[in-house]
Amino acid sequence: MTYTRQNRAAHALRDVQITPNFLPHADGSVLIACGNTKIICTATIDEAVPPFLRGKGEGWVTAEYGMLPASTQSRMKREAAAGKQSGRTQEIQRLIGRSLRACVDMKKLGERQILIDCDVIQADGGTRTASITGAFVALKIAIHKMLADGRLAENPLTGSVAAVSVGVVGGVPLLDLDYPEDSGCDSDVNLVMLNAEKIIEIQGTAEDAAFSMAELAELIALGQKGIAELTVLQGKAFQAA
Amino acid sequence: MTYTRQNRAAHALRDVQITPNFLPHADGSVLIACGNTKIICTATIDEAVPPFLRGKGEGWVTAEYGMLPASTQSRMKREAAAGKQSGRTQEIQRLIGRSLRACVDMKKLGERQILIDCDVIQADGGTRTASITGAFVALKIAIHKMLADGRLAENPLTGSVAAVSVGVVGGVPLLDLDYPEDSGCDSDVNLVMLNAEKIIEIQGTAEDAAFSMAELAELIALGQKGIAELTVLQGKAFQAA
Amino acid sequence: MTYTRQNRAAHALRDVQITPNFLPHADGSVLIACGNTKIICTATIDEAVPPFLRGKGEGWVTAEYGMLPASTQSRMKREAAAGKQSGRTQEIQRLIGRSLRACVDMKKLGERQILIDCDVIQADGGTRTASITGAFVALKIAIHKMLADGRLAENPLTGSVAAVSVGVVGGVPLLDLDYPEDSGCDSDVNLVMLNAEKIIEIQGTAEDAAFSMAELAELIALGQKGIAELTVLQGKAFQAA
Amino acid sequence: MTYTRQNRAAHALRDVQITPNFLPHADGSVLIACGNTKIICTATIDEAVPPFLRGKGEGWVTAEYGMLPASTQSRMKREAAAGKQSGRTQEIQRLIGRSLRACVDMKKLGERQILIDCDVIQADGGTRTASITGAFVALKIAIHKMLADGRLAENPLTGSVAAVSVGVVGGVPLLDLDYPEDSGCDSDVNLVMLNAEKIIEIQGTAEDAAFSMAELAELIALGQKGIAELTVLQGKAFQAA
Amino acid sequence: MTYTRQNRAAHALRDVQITPNFLPHADGSVLIACGNTKIICTATIDEAVPPFLRGKGEGWVTAEYGMLPASTQSRMKREAAAGKQSGRTQEIQRLIGRSLRACVDMKKLGERQILIDCDVIQADGGTRTASITGAFVALKIAIHKMLADGRLAENPLTGSVAAVSVGVVGGVPLLDLDYPEDSGCDSDVNLVMLNAEKIIEIQGTAEDAAFSMAELAELIALGQKGIAELTVLQGKAFQAA
Amino acid sequence: MTYTRQNRAAHALRDVQITPNFLPHADGSVLIACGNTKIICTATIDEAVPPFLRGKGEGWVTAEYGMLPASTQSRMKREAAAGKQSGRTQEIQRLIGRSLRACVDMKKLGERQILIDCDVIQADGGTRTASITGAFVALKIAIHKMLADGRLAENPLTGSVAAVSVGVVGGVPLLDLDYPEDSGCDSDVNLVMLNAEKIIEIQGTAEDAAFSMAELAELIALGQKGIAELTVLQGKAFQAA
């Protein structure tokens, strides 16, 4: 059964809106909307580092992720009430933190930590990749705030990070899957790239049909195209901040 | 030391915006903004009741409350990561649930539960009262959805619920305290009323100076005025839904 | 349906017994019995303060509350076995701590903490208010112990704190509700006062019927009468310590 | 260094008081005081059994143990606030349950559970053995209540259970150690016996000096003497119930 | 800085030993040793499925992962004592479960669950991939036990699953990294394949240097070679079972 | 009903194998097999002590215990996934720690801690006593490592510790019970001795029939014989290390 996407081309991103400075209290923040997926991403500067880094003159970037109970089609259990974060939540926040650390020179950042929060207001697929894309802009705003106020002498950012999902649905390679596509896909790949050129993270899972090297290469090329477009949008949002 | 409020009168509410149908997945939802306090309130219909009500033919309304880590001036610890809800969170969500149950005829609601979620996006004082005011509209939208689709034959709502805080700062009675006022107040009272006429809940705390019956009466009158105004705004928001 | 109270007048307290120095190890302790409600209240002096107060030269008073599993009519689950304190428990212990802090000059107390424990041995309604009334005596005993041994130069107590519940049952205002009255009441108010004159905390909840300002004023007056009587009994118990 | 006990003979129990029916709500209850150790022991009948016994026609006896924070010389952390029971608490409550099950014919008890709660009000050594001695009386009261109201046709009790500690302090064998003796002992043995004749449980620990078989035999004989005396006191308390 | 591997070629696996039927109680079990990494993998058949599958006539495969505290170079904290599994642990056990589900026809398995346990006795890199390779053999043994005793009519296995890590160290692509190589690598990829032909899961992370599509293709080809060798070894171990 | 043991005499140990240096990373380690019970015991030296010992110049020995989920006949729930250690686990690890502390001069050990881990790979009764017997050898290896490298000037070991279970099955006293014997026994005693001469710990439980002093003496004598044999085997294993 072949799948034909309605409303947008197979190789098109959803409509993306990145609103900078969405929350007044955070050092950096955006609201990112990728179609119906909407996430508040914030960066908070903490002048202390985790114990394993104390006294080493190096910084750290870490992330937390959460979903509002009503963000999903059927209400999710609130993790704070359940008393623990799910394995999925922990997996995603580890991915966000790792992805963003890949573009930061920790020595230049100095002995401080940047805490990223990604909170999903509305979920329609691709929340982990949209979190990374949005959080990079929040991180950049927070870092430039420190450059502006003199806390940082040199820019620790070594590049630009963005992410997107790609997958095969009904045999057709698609860019930027929404929730119905993601649920019914044969396989999907989450791709995080530096400067839309090199791979930082790739996580590919065959849900129903294992994929060949050739299929993987096609998906990665499609993802790279989407990431190049997202990188431009990140730049514009940062300019508007 | 006397306190003079800037930008609005001592007896004025902050600017209030209630945006109905803010989230597409919930049965009822609003975004309520009271000045810089912004909260997403949703109502989700669950066709099952808690164990203690099974088979009794009566419904239930319960609430959960949370704050985004970056909603406050200095970032709060994420409760899901900490592994438990604070005492303050539990106290607030119990208050929200109790307040809303006061306007629902549980027999008419039938054996189903309505779950209220109040998630604070941005905090500047008065989050518990704004949660109640917003959640009532979300609840009403959800109930009217059930009336429209025939799941409910009769309206179980017995009135309208809204809430506001009042307090004394530097000897001056104030309506609808923002965070700096709340932090520096002599005493404050959270007031929940039915139809802007009768008291459902009153929680008064003297932080620095115990208050007399006369002072309490003055504060309650001030709160009732604010609740009357909020009730009108709730009605308009519901009409717009 | 009108309610007629058996065995005591509508405006009468239950029989109150406050036994000072009930436990030998605590710095201050009482057993308070209000009718069939019996609570052990203790005050323990800790020469350290919580982290947020370190180095500020100010003290703190905080409280914990618990119920023996067999204190209630049908056995309660043990919270230590369940692995967490209920929302109700946390709400009550926050109330006790806040109420007692209202009568202590924290600068005069100096950089030390007083830990209050209220453990319900037998429950028949009004455990939170009896906890406050008993805990004040335990606190006063502990403070006078420090005055006697020279650890305190000046008395940090700024007044006397007591609490009582009032409510409307079957349309009749009643002082000091027992458990059957509390379960069946239209509305009830927990009242905490300083020197039986001014309100420190008021928590009023309409269970079945919202109340007017006039009804609230009548209940507060009734509560104030009861608190005046309790204050006398606290004084006698302290004298006997 | 030889130890000479003040106030009582080396082979004497502390003063023991067992007050039956101490709490009105439990099916069986006592307050047991062994010197300055004071414990409330209750038995609650639950007409359901744990899952592993459902449908087998057999009953169960289980126990929980707790200490009031202020029961000890320096205040203990409240386990409910800490979010878990300590290893010591779990060990003790397992011991109490096992000891009492040894005197109950589970087929005669029928498919119901008896929950024992032992809550230490004041601790001065020997809380686990006093818990067992007191809990047996509470259990017997609860069982005779069921015999009286016809829920039980036949008495499931197969004997009488009591417990005591014995130990060597400064080379001297002592019966019924108080807290200072227990802290400074060379070795101590907790002994639980059926009908003051046969051993149900023995737990011996050499804190400072391992002991020989001969020393153990001497301690057991001393413990048996104490248990015989406790068994008489249990009988009197039950008669008074 | 170029890296030269000692003791084995850059494209060689470590010495692999798969000992079938290592534990007598499990339905299927192996001890897998990949160099100094040693893991006990077991498969336990549970004739019940998780709630979300009840009544659907389909089975499930799920996995848990743990490390002995002394398995690592410096002792790890015991997760059972810490009271929770780390994010890393949860991520790995989700990966193991997902990988094995890719080779099982859930309808043919029928309404039962297979629980996989992977417990690391000794860790020297590659524990997640060795867990998958070993667990597949344990799973196959358990399934053939059900085929032999008639519980299964038809083999639900749709292929063979194995996994390996590949990475770049000092610019050199390496197969099957040990712990020192993994700690110092530029990037590494965990690869899970079906029948050594198609990709089920790929997880690539650039620790120090993002990688290009060409580099990724080279690593995948190297991994595929290793997985082909592991698949042969799995077959021999199963024959020996 | 009398019980006749198959395959070995009533007073014989199971076949015991102690493999020293089983794990490369721990400071001391053994694999101990007592029949089908197999346990990995390790000792890890930690150059810090718990808070209550800081600055006192004394050391500490503590233990943790766990079972692989597949070690038992029907799979056990993983404690790390359940989020807590069972009461049984805590009781056993407290016993192991206490037993080993009895043979260590803490002043000679100096301000450092030795962490013992006992992980059951396969369980067939007697896991707590085999853990103690194995852990003593691991502890001795770790201590001799410190003597060899000069961290310790003097041997802190004051003797040799081993443990065994004895019990009565069908009226017959047996040494070293396996799981079926342990499940069906009238009573069993776990015995820990110093130098096979003196009792460090004795834990006797009558499951079905309380025992007399004479029966206890017989069991202890039988246990002492077994411990003497184990002590010889421990010595040989240590020599081979």
Side-chain angles (χ1 to χ4, degrees):
Chain A
M1 188 196 69
T2 306
Y3 171 80
T4 309
R5 198 181 237 183
Q6 307 300 322
N7 304 321
R8 61 177 162 132
H11 58 275
L13 291 175
R14 292 179 282 185
D15 182 42
V16 178
Q17 303 289 343
I18 307 176
T19 310
N21 300 330
F22 186 73
L23 288 188
H25 302 315
D27 295 299
S29 71
V30 306
L31 171 70
I32 183 166
C34 297
N36 290 320
T37 288
K38 296 182 186 170
I39 305 169
I40 298 176
C41 305
T42 64
T44 304
I45 301 160
D46 178 0
E47 293 291 336
V49 285
F52 71 91
L53 281 177
R54 275 180 208 147
K56 300 204 171 161
E58 287 180 44
W60 192 243
V61 176
T62 190
E64 289 184 359
Y65 169 94
M67 298 180 89
L68 295 202
S71 64
T72 46
Q73 228 144 354
S74 52
R75 182 183 178 274
M76 280 186 47
K77 220 174 152 175
R78 185 179 294 267
E79 291 187 330
K84 64 173 186 170
Q85 295 180 301
S86 71
R88 176 186 173 276
T89 291
Q90 291 195 58
E91 193 173 305
I92 291 175
Q93 61 193 15
R94 283 160 54 87
L95 169 66
I96 299 170
R98 218 161 50 225
S99 296
L100 294 178
R101 286 194 293 275
C103 70
V104 178
D105 180 324
M106 295 301 175
K107 289 219 156 60
K108 288 188 184 160
L109 178 57
E111 201 158 321
R112 56 173 63 86
Q113 184 174 215
I114 302 184
L115 303 159
I116 302 295
D117 286 290
C118 297
D119 283 276
V120 178
I121 301 303
Q122 199 175 316
D124 186 33
T127 64
R128 78 185 70 190
T129 50
S131 290
I132 293 168
T133 302
F136 172 76
V137 182
L139 173 68
K140 191 168 177 179
I141 292 171
I143 282 174
H144 279 260
K145 185 176 161 185
M146 286 192 284
L147 286 165
D149 69 15
R151 268 187 287 174
L152 283 180
E154 216 178 337
N155 190 344
L157 284 179
T158 61
S160 169
V161 168
V164 82
S165 76
V166 280
V168 178
V169 179
V172 182
L174 297 177
L175 177 64
D176 192 16
L177 282 61
D178 63 21
Y179 181 73
E181 290 169 347
D182 191 43
S183 309
C185 72
D186 306 329
S187 60
D188 79 304
V189 175
N190 290 301
L191 196 65
V192 189
M193 298 187 89
L194 187 67
N195 298 326
E197 276 174 13
K198 292 206 152 188
I199 298 166
I200 294 171
E201 282 266 342
I202 175 169
Q203 297 193 339
T205 301
E207 305 277 339
D208 265 341
F211 45 89
S212 67
M213 187 57 230
E215 289 163 333
L216 180 62
E218 185 180 355
L219 287 174
I220 291 174
L222 187 53
Q224 185 166 13
K225 173 194 164 294
I227 286 174
E229 294 170 24
L230 289 165
T231 303
V232 172
L233 295 168
Q234 288 175 314
K236 287 184 184 164
F238 175 72
Q239 291 307 325
Chain B
M1 186 196 68
T2 306
Y3 172 79
T4 309
R5 199 181 238 185
Q6 307 301 322
N7 304 320
R8 60 175 163 133
H11 58 275
L13 291 176
R14 291 178 282 184
D15 181 42
V16 178
Q17 302 289 342
I18 306 176
T19 311
N21 299 330
F22 186 71
L23 288 189
H25 301 315
D27 295 299
S29 70
V30 306
L31 172 70
I32 183 166
C34 298
N36 290 320
T37 288
K38 295 182 187 171
I39 305 168
I40 299 176
C41 306
T42 63
T44 304
I45 302 160
D46 179 358
E47 294 290 335
V49 286
F52 70 92
L53 281 177
R54 275 182 207 146
K56 300 204 172 161
E58 289 180 41
W60 192 243
V61 176
T62 190
E64 289 185 359
Y65 170 94
M67 299 181 89
L68 293 203
S71 64
T72 47
Q73 227 146 354
S74 52
R75 183 183 178 275
M76 279 185 49
K77 221 175 152 174
R78 185 179 293 268
E79 290 187 331
K84 63 173 187 171
Q85 295 179 299
S86 71
R88 177 186 173 275
T89 291
Q90 292 195 58
E91 193 173 304
I92 292 175
Q93 62 194 14
R94 283 160 54 88
L95 170 65
I96 300 169
R98 218 161 49 226
S99 297
L100 294 178
R101 284 195 293 276
C103 70
V104 178
D105 180 323
M106 295 302 175
K107 287 219 158 59
K108 288 187 184 162
L109 179 56
E111 201 157 322
R112 55 173 63 85
Q113 184 174 216
I114 302 185
L115 303 159
I116 302 295
D117 286 289
C118 296
D119 283 276
V120 178
I121 300 304
Q122 200 175 313
D124 186 33
T127 64
R128 77 186 70 189
T129 48
S131 291
I132 292 167
T133 302
F136 172 75
V137 182
L139 173 67
K140 190 168 177 179
I141 292 172
I143 281 174
H144 279 260
K145 185 176 160 184
M146 286 192 284
L147 286 165
D149 69 14
R151 269 188 287 174
L152 283 180
E154 215 179 337
N155 191 345
L157 284 177
T158 61
S160 169
V161 168
V164 81
S165 76
V166 282
V168 178
V169 179
V172 182
L174 296 177
L175 176 65
D176 191 16
L177 282 60
D178 64 20
Y179 181 73
E181 290 169 347
D182 190 43
S183 309
C185 71
D186 306 329
S187 61
D188 79 304
V189 175
N190 290 301
L191 196 65
V192 189
M193 296 187 89
L194 186 68
N195 298 328
E197 277 173 13
K198 291 206 153 187
I199 298 166
I200 295 172
E201 282 265 342
I202 176 169
Q203 297 193 338
T205 301
E207 305 277 339
D208 264 342
F211 45 89
S212 66
M213 187 57 230
E215 289 162 334
L216 180 61
E218 184 180 357
L219 288 174
I220 291 174
L222 187 54
Q224 184 166 12
K225 172 196 164 293
I227 286 174
E229 294 170 24
L230 289 166
T231 303
V232 172
L233 295 169
Q234 288 175 314
K236 288 184 184 165
F238 175 71
Q239 291 307 325
Chain C
M1 185 196 71
T2 305
Y3 172 79
T4 309
R5 199 181 236 183
Q6 308 301 323
N7 303 319
R8 62 178 161 129
H11 59 274
L13 291 175
R14 291 179 283 184
D15 181 44
V16 177
Q17 302 289 342
I18 305 176
T19 311
N21 299 330
F22 186 72
L23 287 189
H25 301 315
D27 295 299
S29 70
V30 306
L31 172 69
I32 182 167
C34 297
N36 289 321
T37 288
K38 296 183 186 170
I39 304 169
I40 299 176
C41 306
T42 64
T44 304
I45 301 159
D46 179 359
E47 293 292 335
V49 285
F52 70 91
L53 282 177
R54 274 181 210 147
K56 300 205 173 162
E58 288 180 41
W60 192 244
V61 176
T62 190
E64 289 184 0
Y65 169 93
M67 298 181 89
L68 294 203
S71 64
T72 46
Q73 228 145 353
S74 53
R75 183 184 179 273
M76 279 186 49
K77 219 173 153 175
R78 185 178 294 267
E79 290 187 331
K84 63 174 186 169
Q85 295 179 301
S86 71
R88 176 185 174 276
T89 291
Q90 292 194 57
E91 193 173 302
I92 292 175
Q93 61 193 13
R94 282 159 55 86
L95 170 66
I96 299 169
R98 217 161 51 226
S99 296
L100 294 178
R101 286 194 293 275
C103 69
V104 179
D105 180 323
M106 294 303 174
K107 288 220 158 57
K108 288 188 183 159
L109 179 57
E111 201 158 322
R112 57 172 63 86
Q113 185 175 216
I114 303 184
L115 303 159
I116 302 296
D117 285 289
C118 297
D119 283 277
V120 178
I121 300 304
Q122 199 175 314
D124 186 34
T127 63
R128 78 186 68 190
T129 49
S131 291
I132 292 168
T133 302
F136 173 74
V137 182
L139 172 68
K140 190 168 177 180
I141 293 172
I143 281 175
H144 279 260
K145 185 175 161 186
M146 286 192 285
L147 285 165
D149 69 16
R151 266 187 290 172
L152 282 180
E154 216 179 335
N155 190 345
L157 284 178
T158 61
S160 168
V161 168
V164 81
S165 77
V166 281
V168 178
V169 179
V172 182
L174 296 178
L175 177 64
D176 191 17
L177 282 60
D178 64 20
Y179 181 73
E181 290 169 347
D182 191 43
S183 309
C185 72
D186 305 328
S187 60
D188 78 305
V189 175
N190 291 301
L191 195 65
V192 189
M193 296 187 90
L194 188 67
N195 298 326
E197 275 173 14
K198 290 206 153 189
I199 299 166
I200 295 171
E201 281 266 342
I202 175 169
Q203 296 193 339
T205 301
E207 306 276 340
D208 264 342
F211 45 90
S212 66
M213 188 57 230
E215 289 163 334
L216 180 62
E218 184 180 356
L219 288 175
I220 291 175
L222 187 55
Q224 185 166 11
K225 172 195 165 292
I227 286 175
E229 294 170 24
L230 288 166
T231 303
V232 173
L233 295 169
Q234 287 175 316
K236 287 185 183 162
F238 175 71
Q239 290 307 326
Chain D
M1 186 196 66
T2 306
Y3 172 79
T4 309
R5 198 181 238 185
Q6 307 301 322
N7 303 322
R8 62 176 162 131
H11 58 274
L13 291 175
R14 290 178 282 184
D15 182 42
V16 177
Q17 302 290 341
I18 306 175
T19 310
N21 300 330
F22 186 72
L23 288 189
H25 301 315
D27 295 298
S29 70
V30 307
L31 172 70
I32 183 166
C34 298
N36 289 320
T37 288
K38 296 181 187 172
I39 305 168
I40 299 176
C41 306
T42 63
T44 304
I45 301 160
D46 178 359
E47 294 291 334
V49 287
F52 70 92
L53 282 178
R54 275 181 209 147
K56 300 205 173 162
E58 288 180 43
W60 192 243
V61 177
T62 190
E64 289 185 0
Y65 169 93
M67 299 180 88
L68 294 203
S71 63
T72 47
Q73 226 145 354
S74 52
R75 183 184 179 275
M76 280 185 49
K77 220 175 152 173
R78 186 179 293 266
E79 291 188 330
K84 63 172 187 170
Q85 295 179 301
S86 71
R88 176 185 173 277
T89 291
Q90 292 194 57
E91 193 173 304
I92 292 175
Q93 62 194 15
R94 283 160 54 87
L95 170 65
I96 299 169
R98 218 161 51 225
S99 297
L100 293 178
R101 285 194 294 275
C103 70
V104 178
D105 180 324
M106 294 303 174
K107 288 219 160 59
K108 288 188 184 161
L109 179 56
E111 202 158 322
R112 56 172 62 86
Q113 185 175 214
I114 302 184
L115 303 159
I116 302 296
D117 286 289
C118 297
D119 282 277
V120 179
I121 300 304
Q122 199 175 313
D124 186 33
T127 62
R128 76 186 70 191
T129 48
S131 291
I132 293 167
T133 302
F136 172 74
V137 182
L139 172 68
K140 190 168 177 180
I141 292 171
I143 281 174
H144 279 259
K145 186 176 160 185
M146 286 192 284
L147 285 165
D149 68 16
R151 268 188 288 173
L152 283 180
E154 216 179 338
N155 190 344
L157 284 178
T158 61
S160 168
V161 169
V164 81
S165 77
V166 282
V168 178
V169 179
V172 182
L174 296 178
L175 177 65
D176 192 14
L177 281 62
D178 64 20
Y179 181 73
E181 290 169 348
D182 190 42
S183 308
C185 73
D186 306 329
S187 60
D188 79 304
V189 175
N190 290 301
L191 195 66
V192 189
M193 297 186 89
L194 187 68
N195 298 327
E197 275 172 16
K198 291 207 153 187
I199 298 165
I200 294 173
E201 282 265 343
I202 175 168
Q203 296 193 339
T205 300
E207 306 276 342
D208 265 343
F211 45 89
S212 65
M213 188 57 231
E215 289 163 333
L216 180 62
E218 185 180 356
L219 287 175
I220 291 174
L222 187 54
Q224 185 166 13
K225 171 195 165 293
I227 286 174
E229 293 170 25
L230 289 166
T231 303
V232 172
L233 295 168
Q234 288 174 314
K236 287 184 184 163
F238 175 71
Q239 291 307 326
Chain E
M1 184 196 70
T2 306
Y3 172 79
T4 310
R5 196 182 239 184
Q6 309 299 322
N7 303 321
R8 62 176 161 131
H11 58 276
L13 291 175
R14 291 179 281 185
D15 182 42
V16 177
Q17 302 290 342
I18 306 175
T19 310
N21 300 329
F22 186 72
L23 288 188
H25 302 315
D27 295 300
S29 70
V30 306
L31 172 69
I32 183 167
C34 297
N36 290 320
T37 288
K38 295 182 186 169
I39 304 168
I40 298 176
C41 305
T42 64
T44 304
I45 301 161
D46 179 358
E47 294 291 335
V49 286
F52 70 92
L53 282 177
R54 275 180 208 147
K56 300 205 171 161
E58 287 179 43
W60 192 245
V61 176
T62 190
E64 289 185 359
Y65 169 94
M67 298 182 89
L68 295 202
S71 64
T72 47
Q73 228 145 353
S74 52
R75 182 182 178 277
M76 280 186 48
K77 219 175 153 174
R78 184 178 295 267
E79 291 187 330
K84 64 173 186 169
Q85 295 180 301
S86 71
R88 177 186 173 275
T89 291
Q90 292 194 58
E91 193 173 304
I92 292 175
Q93 61 194 14
R94 283 160 53 88
L95 170 65
I96 299 170
R98 218 161 51 225
S99 296
L100 294 177
R101 285 195 294 275
C103 70
V104 178
D105 180 324
M106 295 302 175
K107 287 219 159 59
K108 289 187 183 160
L109 179 56
E111 202 158 321
R112 57 172 62 86
Q113 184 173 216
I114 302 185
L115 303 159
I116 302 295
D117 287 289
C118 296
D119 283 277
V120 178
I121 301 303
Q122 200 175 313
D124 186 34
T127 63
R128 77 185 71 189
T129 49
S131 291
I132 293 167
T133 302
F136 172 75
V137 182
L139 172 68
K140 190 168 177 180
I141 292 172
I143 282 174
H144 280 260
K145 184 175 161 187
M146 286 192 284
L147 285 165
D149 68 16
R151 267 187 290 174
L152 283 179
E154 217 179 335
N155 191 343
L157 285 177
T158 61
S160 168
V161 168
V164 81
S165 77
V166 281
V168 178
V169 179
V172 182
L174 297 178
L175 177 65
D176 191 17
L177 282 62
D178 63 21
Y179 181 73
E181 290 168 348
D182 191 43
S183 309
C185 72
D186 306 330
S187 60
D188 79 304
V189 175
N190 290 301
L191 196 65
V192 189
M193 297 187 89
L194 187 68
N195 298 327
E197 274 173 14
K198 291 205 153 189
I199 299 166
I200 294 171
E201 282 265 343
I202 176 168
Q203 297 194 338
T205 302
E207 306 276 340
D208 264 342
F211 45 89
S212 66
M213 187 58 230
E215 288 163 334
L216 180 62
E218 185 180 355
L219 287 175
I220 291 174
L222 187 53
Q224 185 167 13
K225 172 195 164 293
I227 286 174
E229 294 171 24
L230 288 165
T231 304
V232 172
L233 295 168
Q234 287 175 314
K236 287 186 184 162
F238 175 72
Q239 291 306 325
Chain F
M1 187 196 69
T2 306
Y3 172 79
T4 309
R5 198 181 236 184
Q6 307 301 323
N7 303 320
R8 61 176 162 131
H11 58 274
L13 292 175
R14 290 178 283 185
D15 182 43
V16 177
Q17 302 289 341
I18 306 177
T19 310
N21 299 331
F22 186 71
L23 288 188
H25 302 315
D27 296 299
S29 70
V30 307
L31 172 69
I32 184 167
C34 298
N36 289 320
T37 288
K38 295 181 186 170
I39 305 168
I40 298 176
C41 306
T42 64
T44 303
I45 301 159
D46 179 359
E47 293 292 334
V49 286
F52 70 91
L53 282 177
R54 274 181 208 146
K56 300 204 172 161
E58 288 180 42
W60 192 245
V61 176
T62 190
E64 289 184 359
Y65 169 93
M67 299 181 88
L68 294 203
S71 64
T72 46
Q73 227 145 353
S74 52
R75 183 183 178 274
M76 280 186 48
K77 220 174 153 175
R78 185 178 294 267
E79 290 187 330
K84 64 172 187 170
Q85 296 180 300
S86 71
R88 176 185 173 275
T89 291
Q90 292 195 57
E91 193 173 304
I92 292 175
Q93 62 193 14
R94 282 160 54 88
L95 170 66
I96 299 169
R98 217 160 52 225
S99 296
L100 294 178
R101 285 194 294 274
C103 69
V104 178
D105 180 322
M106 294 303 175
K107 288 220 159 57
K108 288 188 184 161
L109 178 56
E111 201 158 322
R112 56 173 62 86
Q113 185 175 215
I114 303 185
L115 303 159
I116 302 296
D117 286 290
C118 297
D119 283 276
V120 179
I121 301 303
Q122 199 174 314
D124 187 33
T127 64
R128 76 185 71 190
T129 49
S131 290
I132 292 167
T133 302
F136 172 74
V137 182
L139 172 68
K140 190 168 177 180
I141 292 171
I143 281 174
H144 279 260
K145 185 176 161 186
M146 286 192 284
L147 286 165
D149 68 16
R151 268 187 287 173
L152 282 180
E154 216 178 337
N155 190 345
L157 284 178
T158 61
S160 169
V161 169
V164 81
S165 76
V166 281
V168 178
V169 179
V172 182
L174 296 179
L175 177 64
D176 192 15
L177 282 61
D178 63 20
Y179 181 73
E181 290 169 348
D182 191 42
S183 309
C185 72
D186 306 329
S187 59
D188 79 303
V189 175
N190 290 302
L191 195 66
V192 189
M193 297 187 89
L194 187 67
N195 298 327
E197 275 173 15
K198 290 206 153 189
I199 298 166
I200 294 172
E201 280 266 343
I202 176 169
Q203 297 193 337
T205 301
E207 305 276 341
D208 264 342
F211 45 90
S212 66
M213 188 56 230
E215 288 163 334
L216 180 62
E218 185 181 355
L219 287 175
I220 291 174
L222 186 54
Q224 185 165 12
K225 172 195 164 292
I227 286 174
E229 294 170 24
L230 288 166
T231 303
V232 172
L233 294 169
Q234 288 175 314
K236 286 184 184 164
F238 175 71
Q239 291 307 325

